[in-house]
Structures are given as structure tokens and as C-alpha cells.
Amino acid sequence: MKYDYLINQPRPASTRPKMSAVDRAAQFSSFAALIGLDEQLDETARLVDSKIELSEDEAAMLNGKFQDLAQMLNKNGKRPQIKVHYFVPDERKNGGAYVTKIGAVKRIDDVFFKLLFTDGAEIDVSDVLDLDIMEQGG
């Protein structure tokens, strides 16, 4: 045979340092056919809540709480401490999450319909699910 003399020869030793398996695999990672698949699957699996629509009775009760809050704000510039449960829309998919904030209210913006807090936070009135006045403020 033409190349028989090569078959039983020892393998030549490389003068380069041996590369680790991780480094060897990293060479080909940029050629992965499914780049970003893990991130996409994580995003798809991430759960979000739907915004709850209040019944007429619930909306009327919440409106009464807002009126009580507005009256307190108008009395001598008091800044009542409240606990508000509200919806935060998700930036990447339909839905969002309900969160709770406790803080002192500076005022209710009647133009943009927002609750403005002394710490600079703003909450859309339409996103509020529930509101509790904790302290009368000072």
C-alpha cells in the first residue's frame, strides 16, 4: 500500500501548550445555531399578571378613599402616610405585576391623574387596586 509506512508511526508532539476543553469549546460557541434561545425561553416562561378590572362597588369604594385622601391633603398641607397596592405594566410583554408602596403623599395630580409622593415616586391613579391611609400626616 502506498501509505503503510505512516500507519504505525507515533503521533507527532505539538510544541504548543495543550488547550483545555473549555477553551476548545469556546472557540465554537459563536457558531452555535441557537444563540439567544436560553434567554428567549426564560423570557417566555416568565410569568406576568393581568390587570384586574374593579367592579362598580370596588371602584366606588376606592374613589371614596381617594376623596378622603384629597381632603386630608387640602387640610393645612398635611402629607398622609398611605399604603397603595398598584399595577406596574411589564416593559417586554403583555401584563405586569402588582406591587405595594408605603409612603407620604405630596399631592394628587388632577391633570395627569397621578399620586405624587414626597420621595419623588409617581403612580397612575388608574393603576391603583387598593389604598389604605395609615397616618394622618403632619
Side-chain angles (χ1 to χ4, degrees), residues 69 72-73 78-82 103-105 133 135-138:
L69 179 61
M72 286 181 199
L73 289 167
K78 292 187 176 197
R79 298 195 170 160
Q81 184 89 358
I82 68 166
V105 177
I133 299 169
E135 295 178 14
Q136 300 297 318

Side-chain angles (χ1 to χ4, degrees), residues 122-135:
E122 298 179 2
I123 298 174
D124 287 338
V125 170
S126 63
D127 290 333
V128 174
L129 182 64
D130 194 20
L131 162 71
D132 290 314
I133 299 169
M134 299 170 64
E135 295 178 14

Side-chain angles (χ1 to χ4, degrees), residues 44-99:
T44 302
R46 189 171 55 87
L47 298 176
V48 291
D49 293 326
S50 298
K51 189 171 182 180
I52 298 170
E53 297 296 326
L54 297 176
S55 69
E56 285 185 33
D57 291 339
E58 291 168 329
M61 191 174 352
L62 183 59
N63 189 36
K65 291 179 180 183
F66 271 109
Q67 288 176 0
D68 292 345
L69 179 61
Q71 287 177 355
M72 286 181 199
L73 289 167
N74 291 332
K75 287 183 185 176
N76 304 322
K78 292 187 176 197
R79 298 195 170 160
Q81 184 89 358
I82 68 166
K83 178 179 178 181
V84 61
H85 193 62
Y86 65 101
F87 184 76
V88 177
D90 193 276
E91 294 178 2
R92 290 182 266 164
K93 58 196 303 189
N94 288 334
Y98 278 93
V99 296

